[in-house]
Amino acid sequence: DIVLTQTPLSLSVIPGQPASISCKSSQSLLNSGGKTYLYWYLQKPGQSPQLLIYEVSNRFSGVPDRFSGSGSGTDFTLKIGRVEAEDVGIYYCMQGMGVPRTFGQGTNVEF
Amino acid sequence: QVQLQESGPGLVKPSETLSLTCTVSGASISNFCWTWIRQPAEKGLEWIGHICPSGNTNYIPSLKSRVTLSVDTPNNQFSLQVRSVTAADTAIYYCARDVTAFDYWGQGTLVTVSS
């Protein structure tokens, strides 16, 4: 199975300041067709997870542009340009390269 | 707008079968893959498996011997069965559309395994 390791596991943020989460994969997530199957989700308190970023750097519909994803191969980063109150929750990376799909442990972002 | 809604018993006895259904609106179940994910209390997300239009299914190895996914095309639903449940199967169960990304999710349903 592909293992995803997120750091940090907990992140205390200041409103208006940037934040960054790392996700490292045990295997490359780049497939032979040139796509990289790395995704980011946010689970707000009491809610189901929601897709933020697909294929490393593409924002899903309705996701604010303060969220950005970057990386390649096995190392990936989610950045929040200026954190807002509604951004608190647990952030997960996920790989779609192989079966079973696997998630990172989650990063708890709080003020 | 694509919407998914899980339904099924909230309490299942040990050794019995957990059965959940996900009803989809806003998208044809025949055109996409569909997935189940679960989350034990205060823990992370665990992918259970998915089913695709071809009928192809994939499961997490640790559950493969106990899990079955199926599709009910006329009712635009898909279902999850987990056999021989134990307390370790207690979790919130989510269904989602699987376009490799899980782009639309249900609200989740809590299933407790207890006698």
Side-chain angles (χ1 to χ4, degrees), chain A residues 39 41 43 48 92 94 100-101, chain B residues 39 47 94 98 100-102 106:
Chain A
Y39 307 87
Y41 298 87
Q43 187 173 29
S48 52
Y92 295 94
M94 188 202 83
R101 307 287 178 77
Chain B
Q39 184 174 36
W47 180 79
Y94 297 100
D98 186 340
T100 309
F102 304 151

Side-chain angles (χ1 to χ4, degrees), chain B residues 25-41:
Chain B
S25 60
S28 173
I29 200 129
S30 302
N31 293 341
F32 299 94
C33 296
W34 305 92
T35 211
W36 289 93
I37 301 113
R38 69 181 184 180
Q39 184 174 36

Side-chain angles (χ1 to χ4, degrees), chain A residues 26-71:
Chain A
S26 62
Q27 301 176 31
S28 175
L29 302 182
L30 172 66
N31 85 339
S32 57
K35 287 189 177 180
T36 302
Y37 293 103
L38 187 282
Y39 307 87
W40 290 97
Y41 298 87
L42 166 59
Q43 187 173 29
K44 296 182 180 182
Q47 296 186 18
S48 52
Q50 58 189 82
L51 178 64
L52 293 177
I53 301 286
Y54 64 95
E55 293 169 14
V56 180
S57 60
N58 300 284
R59 279 186 300 276
F60 186 55
S61 175
V63 174
D65 61 7
R66 63 180 179 274
F67 290 95
S68 63
S70 63

Side-chain angles (χ1 to χ4, degrees), chain A residues 3 6-7 9 12 14 18 31 33 36-37 43-44 47 56 61 68 71 77 82-84 87 92 94 101 108-109 111:
Chain A
V3 177
Q6 289 183 232
T7 54
L9 298 184
S12 184
I14 298 171
N31 85 339
T36 302
Y37 293 103
Q43 187 173 29
K44 296 182 180 182
Q47 296 186 18
V56 180
S61 175
S68 63
T77 301
R82 283 185 296 275
V83 177
E84 298 189 5
D87 299 337
Y92 295 94
M94 188 202 83
R101 307 287 178 77
N108 186 26
V109 173
F111 289 126

Side-chain angles (χ1 to χ4, degrees), chain B residues 61-99:
Chain B
S62 60
L63 293 175
K64 187 174 182 178
S65 63
R66 297 194 294 125
V67 170
T68 301
L69 300 189
S70 59
V71 167
D72 177 359
T73 303
N75 289 306
N76 223 41
Q77 297 175 329
F78 63 105
S79 296
L80 166 72
Q81 285 195 331
V82 183
R83 294 175 291 279
S84 304
V85 297
T86 69
D89 296 307
T90 294
I92 296 174
Y93 285 76
Y94 297 100
C95 59
R97 189 172 76 167
D98 186 340
V99 293

